[in-house]
Amino acid sequence: MNIKQVRAFLAVAQSMSFASAATQLHLSQPALSLSIKSLEEDLGGKLLTRTTRHISLTPEGQALLPIARRLLAQWENAEDEMKQRFALQLGKITIASMPSFAASLLPKAIQNYHASYPNVQVAINDVLSDVVVEMVRNNQVELGISFEPSNLVDLSFYPLYEDRFIAIVPQNHPLEKHDTISWRALLEYDFITLQRPSSVRAKIENSLNKVGIELNVAFDAHQLTTVGRMVSEGMGVAVVPELCRQQAIEQGSLCRNITEPSIQWRVGVICQPRSSLSVAAASMLDTLIHTYS
């Protein structure tokens, strides 16, 4: 049974006239009769009784009528919904983003997107940068925003900008008078960072190893928000992505440049190959690139 047969059956059943039904469907009467006959053969029995003057539904035809109406309505609704999705008049996308980006820069892109496509819903999962990659890889979300992974494998990465890591120190700290702090000077004090296996911690450790500096950690935490709070409470110092600058300032810490070495890391959008993205997700990708690149 196909949708053309359902339309033919409904047209005849509702008008009780092959001539009227054929006109409505823009078919010849022989073509309409053939469609009804094919439907009856597919289902295994007569749906209509027909004489030279009268057409009526068989009991089976009467049983099919409400089903056919429901099927046609569902088909038309599905067709309409898909047209709206392709025209970005309907839909929903979910983005996984590291919390520091979600809380600082992402709202601007979402505003731009919503201004163009107000009927597309946008959901944000703010998760650790390492989790972002896994959510994209496992098809839990279409788009992820994170630092550039070391191993993309089958994923695509679209860079947005380069983040420069900064030092944060508590108020009234001996280093507060310096605009720029070297790593060796900073590590004279208790150092706070993220717990392993964190890509941010790994980036810091790898950068220091290259210049022969050993990282001794006094305290570690699971979230950068917690690291920032521990610094503001005077427990030590830290180095965090510049994405966290506003958050650190709001928590009461001081932000300074860090050198010898300086650490940069590209932030961008991670996704499956563009050809596999929904229209809504592809448009959001374009919006993100246009907003931040």
Side-chain angles (χ1 to χ4, degrees):
M1 183 168 62
N2 60 52
I3 195 65
K4 290 183 178 180
Q5 293 171 333
V6 172
R7 290 185 192 277
F9 169 76
L10 276 175
V12 174
Q14 290 170 347
S15 66
M16 287 300 174
S17 165
F18 271 77
S20 297
T23 301
Q24 177 187 333
L25 297 174
H26 306 288
L27 293 174
S28 66
Q29 287 194 46
L32 177 59
S33 297
L34 185 60
S35 183
I36 296 295
K37 180 180 179 182
S38 176
L39 175 61
E40 290 176 330
E41 289 175 351
D42 288 342
L43 296 181
K46 288 287 186 182
L47 299 172
L48 300 163
T49 58
R50 182 180 182 186
T51 66
T52 54
R53 294 188 176 184
H54 184 68
I55 296 173
S56 63
L57 294 173
T58 65
E60 291 76 16
Q62 292 173 351
L64 177 61
L65 182 58
I67 298 173
R69 284 173 174 154
R70 187 166 64 250
L71 285 172
L72 185 60
Q74 290 174 340
W75 178 274
E76 290 175 345
N77 288 341
E79 188 175 32
D80 183 59
E81 178 177 331
M82 293 310 302
K83 286 180 179 178
Q84 289 186 61
R85 286 181 181 275
F86 281 118
L88 291 174
Q89 296 173 352
L90 183 70
K92 178 179 180 180
I93 58 171
T94 303
I95 301 172
S97 171
M98 48 188 178
S100 51
F101 190 94
S104 57
L105 299 180
L106 186 55
K108 181 180 178 181
I110 294 176
Q111 283 182 319
N112 292 343
Y113 187 82
H114 184 68
S116 299
Y117 312 112
N119 296 320
V120 179
Q121 297 179 355
V122 181
I124 307 299
N125 289 337
D126 48 344
V127 295
L128 297 178
S129 57
D130 305 276
V131 178
V132 169
V133 180
E134 291 309 308
M135 291 185 74
V136 174
R137 180 164 283 126
N138 296 332
N139 292 309
Q140 294 174 268
V141 298
E142 287 195 87
L143 302 177
I145 302 173
S146 181
F147 293 110
E148 183 174 12
S150 57
N151 186 9
L152 282 168
V153 190
D154 54 345
L155 300 178
S156 299
F157 180 78
Y158 295 85
L160 299 178
Y161 72 98
E162 191 165 69
D163 187 282
R164 180 183 294 270
F165 282 37
I166 59 172
I168 56 174
V169 300
Q171 297 278 351
N172 302 315
H173 191 273
L175 294 175
E176 73 171 353
K177 62 181 179 293
H178 301 284
D179 293 330
T180 300
I181 304 170
S182 72
W183 269 98
R184 293 188 187 279
L186 188 71
L187 292 178
E188 293 293 322
Y189 302 90
D190 287 339
F191 191 77
I192 307 168
T193 190
L194 292 173
Q195 296 172 354
R196 293 192 183 100
S198 158
S199 58
V200 169
R201 178 165 176 167
K203 183 72 171 179
I204 292 173
E205 290 177 332
N206 292 338
S207 298
L208 294 181
N209 286 340
K210 290 177 181 178
V211 295
I213 297 177
E214 182 180 358
L215 182 66
N216 294 312
V217 176
F219 309 103
D220 57 21
H222 189 59
Q223 296 274 6
L224 283 169
T225 304
T226 308
V227 170
R229 177 58 65 188
M230 294 169 76
V231 170
S232 68
E233 292 296 324
M235 295 176 62
V237 298
V239 169
V240 299
E242 190 164 10
L243 273 171
C244 301
R245 178 184 290 273
Q246 187 58 40
Q247 174 183 284
I249 293 172
E250 291 172 356
Q251 289 177 331
S253 296
L254 303 174
C255 300
R256 299 291 185 264
N257 296 325
I258 184 77
T259 61
E260 301 175 13
S262 61
I263 301 175
Q264 295 87 32
W265 201 357
R266 293 199 302 180
V267 175
V269 183
I270 303 165
C271 60
Q272 301 289 347
R274 188 183 180 104
S275 60
S276 66
L277 296 179
S278 67
V279 175
S283 296
M284 174 59 83
L285 173 60
D286 291 338
T287 300
L288 287 164
I289 293 172
H290 178 74
T291 303
Y292 303 114
S293 297

